[in-house]
Amino acid sequence: VTGRTSNWSAPVEFTAGEPDAAADLVSFLQITEVMYHPLDAGSEFIEVFNRNATTSLNLGGARFTAGIGFEFPADTLLPPLGFALITKAADLATFRSFYHVPATTQVFGPYTGVLDNSGETLTLKAGSGAAVIASFTYSPLAPWPVLDDTGGRSLVPREGGPADPADPAHWRASATIGGSAGLADPAPEAFFVSVPRLLANSLQVHIEAPAGRAYTLQSSTNAIDWVPVASLTGPSDQSLPLPAGGRIWFLRAVQP
């Protein structure tokens, strides 16, 4: 016994929060393009975007834990309003040339795994055991955008769509074949009708159109005589009965 009095304070209970960098990733990092069915099977990619207009994001340690396998290298900085691409391609220079990627856009890869053309879950986390930045299960079938069976278009966020990437209405098909790797996808100025996807008893087709624009979907068996199928407004997914007798069927969107 020394006779000294204790100077220890009473214990304080607290819960450790996530590092600021991880919290910033959850707030500002967005998946802005998924090329899961490219024209060239080796040129898949996922695009991410920093929505913060003033501050760079440290991507180091952020990782995809479902769909593909990839972890960003330590101290990877994504500048304000900047894009980065993660690809399956092993030759990054060829990938850049194929998609005309801007020189300022960082490209990483190759990732492990393959983006399933039949749909699967993609999950991006801020780090090992950290918070989820984004997680969604895409599909080639409605209500998700029905992309051409031949491939080449990507999923990109729809202008004015819901914020949740798990909501199919968050997405639309890219305005052009090849997508817009490393760039904001331009708003579609013209209509296009995807190549119909054949199901057991119907055809699924996606019509990309400017939001609020009214038009009529028409069909024909000879590309000469057209009959109306549906009156629609804006982007739409339609399930249509199979043509009788297996006849060739043409579809088009016509503005009034």
Side-chain angles (χ1 to χ4, degrees):
V1 178
T2 63
R4 297 176 182 174
T5 58
S6 172
N7 291 321
W8 293 104
S9 65
V12 176
E13 182 177 356
F14 71 97
T15 301
E18 291 187 311
D20 289 343
D24 285 346
L25 291 179
V26 173
S27 297
F28 297 111
L29 189 63
Q30 179 183 10
I31 296 177
T32 48
E33 190 164 3
V34 181
M35 177 64 82
Y36 67 83
H37 191 180
L39 292 175
D40 180 348
S43 58
E44 297 178 353
F45 69 84
I46 298 172
E47 178 188 84
V48 294
F49 174 66
N50 177 8
R51 294 183 294 183
N52 194 313
T54 59
T55 305
S56 294
L57 292 177
N58 187 344
L59 305 185
R63 63 193 64 187
F64 285 88
T65 60
I68 64 167
F70 178 80
E71 180 177 342
F72 286 97
D75 299 321
T76 297
L77 295 180
L78 185 59
L81 304 180
F83 293 94
L85 300 167
I86 311 96
T87 177
K88 178 67 175 176
D91 187 335
L92 301 188
T94 299
F95 173 85
R96 280 186 176 277
S97 176
F98 184 79
Y99 283 112
H100 307 288
V101 178
T104 55
T105 299
Q106 300 177 79
V107 179
F108 301 91
Y111 56 67
T112 60
V114 178
L115 294 173
D116 194 333
N117 292 349
S118 299
E120 66 179 319
T121 298
L122 276 177
T123 300
L124 175 60
K125 291 187 174 183
S128 178
V132 172
I133 298 170
S135 185
F136 55 90
T137 303
Y138 68 85
S139 171
L141 304 178
W144 285 78
V146 181
L147 307 184
D148 297 355
D149 276 336
T150 52
R153 294 190 189 270
S154 59
L155 293 175
V156 297
R158 187 185 302 280
E159 297 78 0
D164 184 2
D167 186 337
H170 173 86
W171 302 94
R172 63 169 173 84
S174 60
T176 60
I177 290 177
S180 53
L183 296 167
D185 197 74
E189 297 179 357
F191 297 91
F192 75 80
V193 180
S194 70
V195 176
R197 184 177 295 274
L198 179 63
L199 300 181
N201 298 304
S202 65
L203 294 172
Q204 281 201 329
V205 62
H206 174 74
I207 306 98
E208 191 60 54
R213 188 79 62 82
Y215 59 96
T216 299
L217 180 65
Q218 298 180 341
S219 69
S220 173
T221 57
N222 56 16
I224 299 174
D225 303 308
W226 296 89
V227 296
V229 175
S231 296
L232 305 168
T233 301
S236 180
D237 291 292
Q238 297 291 309
S239 181
L240 307 174
L242 293 176
R247 293 176 297 178
I248 297 175
W249 202 14
F250 300 89
L251 295 170
R252 70 179 183 182
V254 178
Q255 297 183 75

